[in-house]
Amino acid sequence: MAKVLMKGNEAIGEAAIRAGCKNYFAYPITPQSEVAEYLAKRMPEVDGVFVQGESEVAVGYMIFGAAGCGERVMTTSSSPGISLMSEALSYIAGARCPAVFVNIMRGGPGLGGILPSQGDYFQATKGGGHGDYRLLVMAPEGVQEAVEMTMKAFNLAEKYRGPVMILGDGLIGQMMEPVEFPENFDTTPTNKDDWATSGMDTRKSDKKNIVKSLFLDPKALNDHNLLLKSNYERMKQEEILYEGYNTDADYKVLIVSYGTMSRVCKTAIDTMKAQGLEIGMIRPQTLFPFPEKAVHEAAVKASCSHVVSIELNMGQMVEDVDRCVKGQRPVTWYGECGGDIPTPEEIIDHVKSLLNN
Amino acid sequence: MDIKLSGIVIIVGNYGSGKTETAVNLAFNRRAVGIDVAMADLDLVNPYFRTREARQVLFEKGIRLVLPEEKYMDADLPILAPQVAGLIKNPAELTILDAGGDDVGSIVLAALADSLAGRQINLIQVVNPLRPFTETVEGCMRIREEIEYSSKLKITGLVSNANLMDETTPDIIYKGYDLIQEVSERTGIGVEFITAHGDLLPDLDLTRFKTPVLPILRWLVPPWKRQGS
């Protein structure tokens, strides 16, 4: 297929359709509403369903219902909306149901603002809902990557039988870029006959499938949670994704940044390189599992004297970066948390100030 | 060939067709030849990448600009600055009103019906054939009908803004031109101009076009790109 020009939100909607998602439930909230607007037009064309719930709480359980039937299902929202869905996220993770959640983040906490933010890093990677669960979290830097990650998310959700989150900031949803959709993508839900409540017709035995997260027997709950844990450990072995930028050079400072913030950092790095100053960057593409080894190895490179985590929040990923660097280099945070995005010039000034101190 | 537009020009089109980039560049183009230009941001549906994002450079180039109050600039609410009606009543030599996308974005024009009544209006539909829903003549005509229904106004002119941003090629410009010509033939609505990025102009066979070409620079860019690139 030839390239088309699409807004991130539209492209995420189209990507879901091309990944075989026929079930989309959502509630409008800026800056992700165009996904719903787009899928309101497109879902009927592919015999799919879009239902706008009466709230994000309701949407979360619509997702649970469809996911429990083994169907490919997605919702999209923005920060406060994801907060409302977090109860359902916990239930879906607990019941081991595959589903795709997209969070196009806006400023917070509370109602915050409508401008880009990465303030939901903790919420996405450390919990949000109750209980002992993790989400596989992917963070695209642009529209093309948002498409590829969204499509892949459906397969990963089925592979691990759990919710997968695409974590983008408002710019990912709102900016337009040329995109190309992968061809020959496998759109068939896998392995659902073994566990989903999809009827008896295709099942080889007459055993009932029950989807639940209630385990009153402490040993049963312990075993269930250890099974979840084994899935999360497997993710750490098989799903870590990251990009190294200018990491072949003998860089003085290592930047760790993700999403659209990393795009600003790349411009800053290119500018500094032209000035004769080498700066490297690790861009985590998966936030959970986090590229711990890559960050550690890049940080302890002999030429590197400082590590800075650059984020659109008040410093969240910096805690993971610090954990990976293990005290071997100073680790600091730089960023904005009100909706403004640092310019390449501001990044350059900050990086140079680290070298001058 | 020069662009002839003057008076009140309202820019409409499908979502993401490049209305604002077209409007801002049209404003600069006309201002550069000494015309008094005013602009108003009527985009009540798009949260980012609106005319207001280019306000600094528009002010610097002497273009009068009507925007919502500063404190509401990033509000998630449809806010129509009351000064817009005044601008319509006392227009500049060229007054550009940049509406939001699709029929939804055009509803605001119906709200301005009293101010617009009896005035000569140029309602310009911008088309980018590389966007969903306007790849075909039928798609462009459907969007036109929806916009006309919502705005209670008739489209009077067409603009091709065919582009794939940094990946635009001459073939894309030619394809957009051919499509807009066909829309023009089917609807009887004239093509006002087509757009092409300034860097592409030397590669284009300009004799192929029967319409003016508006050179485009990009003013609504993400923070890692330079305005006016």
Side-chain angles (χ1 to χ4, degrees), chain A residues 31 47 58 73 90 107 234 240 270-271 295 311 329 333 340 347:
Chain A
D47 291 328
V73 58
S90 168
R234 188 179 168 201
I240 286 174
D270 292 347
T271 305
V295 169
E311 312 169 58
R329 295 288 184 280
W333 162 85
D340 285 338
I347 302 291

Side-chain angles (χ1 to χ4, degrees), chain A residues 166-177:
Chain A
I166 305 296
L167 193 66
D169 60 73
L171 264 179
I172 289 283
Q174 292 297 322
M175 68 183 179
M176 293 177 65
E177 289 187 315

Side-chain angles (χ1 to χ4, degrees), chain A residues 3-7 10 30-31 34 37-38 41-42 45 105-106 114-116 170-171 174-178 260 263-264 267 341-344, chain B residues 15-18 45-50 74-76 102-104 128 130-133 135 143 146 163-167 218 222-225:
Chain A
K3 282 190 177 179
V4 289
L5 188 59
M6 291 188 89
K7 198 172 226 200
E10 298 169 330
T30 306
E34 294 86 357
E37 198 176 334
Y38 184 83
K41 287 182 184 169
R42 284 285 284 132
E45 293 175 1
M105 293 177 280
R106 56 187 270 173
I114 66 166
L115 294 176
L171 264 179
Q174 292 297 322
M175 68 183 179
M176 293 177 65
E177 289 187 315
T260 56
R263 302 276 291 267
V264 184
T267 299
I341 299 178
T343 62
Chain B
Y15 203 61
S17 55
V45 293
N46 214 25
Y48 307 170
F49 300 110
R50 299 163 294 191
D74 292 314
D76 189 11
D102 288 354
D103 50 338
V104 179
N128 181 356
L130 281 103
R131 290 278 301 141
F133 309 120
E135 310 98 325
I143 294 279
E146 290 170 358
N163 78 90
L164 204 50
M165 293 198 158
D166 296 346
E167 298 179 30
R218 292 185 59 204
W224 55 89
K225 294 204 167 182

Side-chain angles (χ1 to χ4, degrees), chain A residues 183-319:
Chain A
E183 303 278 0
N184 305 318
F185 192 83
D186 185 2
T187 59
T188 313
T190 53
N191 71 17
K192 71 173 183 178
D193 291 343
D194 297 337
W195 60 270
T197 57
S198 53
M200 304 293 281
D201 351 346
T202 60
R203 215 167 291 157
K204 292 192 175 73
S205 77
D206 58 359
K207 179 179 157 294
K208 289 178 183 172
N209 281 345
I210 298 174
V211 170
K212 62 169 186 173
S213 62
L214 178 67
F215 296 89
L216 293 177
D217 175 357
K219 183 174 182 317
L221 180 57
N222 187 60
D223 289 347
H224 181 72
N225 281 342
L226 288 177
L227 178 61
L228 295 182
K229 180 173 166 49
S230 70
N231 266 336
Y232 306 141
E233 294 304 320
R234 188 179 168 201
M235 285 178 197
K236 290 179 184 175
Q237 298 301 314
E238 298 180 18
E239 309 304 341
I240 286 174
L241 285 174
Y242 66 93
E243 177 194 11
Y245 195 75
N246 202 36
T247 42
D248 289 338
D250 288 328
Y251 46 85
K252 306 280 188 199
V253 172
L254 176 72
I255 292 172
V256 185
S257 190
Y258 69 97
T260 56
M261 191 60 241
S262 70
R263 302 276 291 267
V264 184
C265 293
K266 284 180 178 177
T267 299
I269 290 169
D270 292 347
T271 305
M272 286 186 276
K273 192 178 185 72
Q275 296 168 355
L277 178 59
E278 298 287 4
I279 305 297
M281 180 168 72
I282 295 288
R283 175 174 73 89
Q285 292 162 291
T286 51
L287 301 178
F288 182 86
F290 195 72
E292 298 173 10
K293 187 164 173 275
V295 169
H296 179 81
E297 288 177 358
V300 298
K301 190 166 182 169
S303 61
C304 178
S305 64
H306 200 107
V307 180
V308 57
S309 179
I310 302 186
E311 312 169 58
L312 297 175
N313 54 41
M314 63 173 84
Q316 296 190 16
M317 184 176 70
V318 65
E319 294 187 9

